[in-house]
Amino acid sequence: MRRPKPDDLREWCYPFIYETRLTCDYEILTDELCCHIGVVLSMLPEEFADIRADLEQLQPLIYNLNGSVRGKHGIFEEDIEWLKARYTYYQQASEGRVTGFVLPRGPAPVPQLHLCRCIGKKIVRMLVRLEQEGRKFDETLPRFANVLANFFFVLTVAIKHRQGVTEVPYISINY
């Protein structure tokens, strides 16, 4: 049963909140990611001006990602190329620091960026589910979301490298 729009709009937090399709869940995930980036920005030391600028540019792109499933398409090839270039910039700056799995820890905002990375993966998975549900969207969305999750990881490595924090390897007993 679909709930009706309440008479008192204070009892209605989002226009699609009672929808049963996964589109609303996807939009909430992308919104959550954008909020987490706001937390990271509030904790980012002043000496990380390049990271601050990239995250500030990324927030609107994540809201473009948000609206691209229900509304007009908003993630383009140039957005993916920009994000890949920024990924490469941070990866090259900390080349060789990570050669396997590492534990997601470190000084703030590293743990928060690891949470962003996890939400990025959830967004990719939600896009898989939306496609399975029959939703049509441009192929740039899952591509951008995958690069996004990887970008957050490389930021954690770059921040720890700049701060002289050692990565803690994780050796799996499972694989």
Side-chain angles (χ1 to χ4, degrees):
M1 177 176 101
R2 186 165 183 173
R3 292 179 165 277
K5 177 178 166 183
D7 294 331
D8 185 341
L9 292 184
R10 293 173 297 179
E11 297 176 11
W12 196 39
C13 65
Y14 187 60
F16 306 107
I17 199 69
Y18 292 124
E19 174 178 285
T20 57
R21 294 176 306 174
L22 294 172
T23 309
C24 182
D25 300 277
Y26 167 80
E27 291 163 342
I28 291 169
L29 274 176
T30 52
D31 185 34
E32 181 180 3
L33 178 57
C34 206
C35 293
H36 276 284
I37 291 172
V39 171
V40 171
L41 285 167
S42 75
M43 302 175 152
L44 203 58
E46 296 214 9
E47 64 266 20
F48 296 123
D50 53 346
I51 294 173
R52 174 173 302 285
D54 289 338
L55 293 176
E56 287 174 350
Q57 187 167 339
L58 198 53
Q59 272 189 313
L61 290 175
I62 290 169
Y63 277 143
N64 292 349
L65 182 68
N66 174 302
S68 290
V69 169
R70 184 186 305 275
K72 192 169 95 175
H73 178 67
I75 294 294
F76 305 98
E77 195 64 38
E78 55 266 22
D79 300 321
I80 296 169
E81 292 308 313
W82 171 79
L83 190 55
K84 284 180 177 180
R86 299 314 295 158
Y87 173 94
T88 300
Y89 167 80
Y90 294 109
Q91 181 189 39
Q92 289 175 345
S94 54
E95 192 74 40
R97 281 192 49 95
V98 176
T99 57
F101 288 106
V102 294
L103 293 174
R105 59 171 77 161
V110 169
Q112 292 77 9
L113 284 165
H114 278 295
L115 291 173
C116 290
R117 175 182 56 83
C118 289
I119 296 169
K121 289 180 185 180
K122 289 179 184 180
I123 290 168
V124 173
R125 289 296 301 151
M126 187 59 73
L127 287 167
V128 169
R129 298 296 309 279
L130 283 163
E131 195 170 50
Q132 179 186 40
E133 192 179 74
R135 196 72 157 158
K136 302 286 186 218
F137 47 81
D138 196 275
E139 60 105 33
T140 57
L141 302 188
R143 289 176 55 221
F144 182 81
N146 272 284
V147 177
L148 190 60
N150 291 332
F151 176 74
F152 290 124
F153 177 75
V154 81
L155 279 184
T156 69
V157 176
I159 289 172
K160 287 193 271 185
H161 175 64
R162 290 180 190 182
Q163 293 180 333
V165 176
T166 303
E167 296 287 354
V168 179
Y170 168 71
I171 310 300
S172 174
I173 63 170
N174 308 105
Y175 301 103

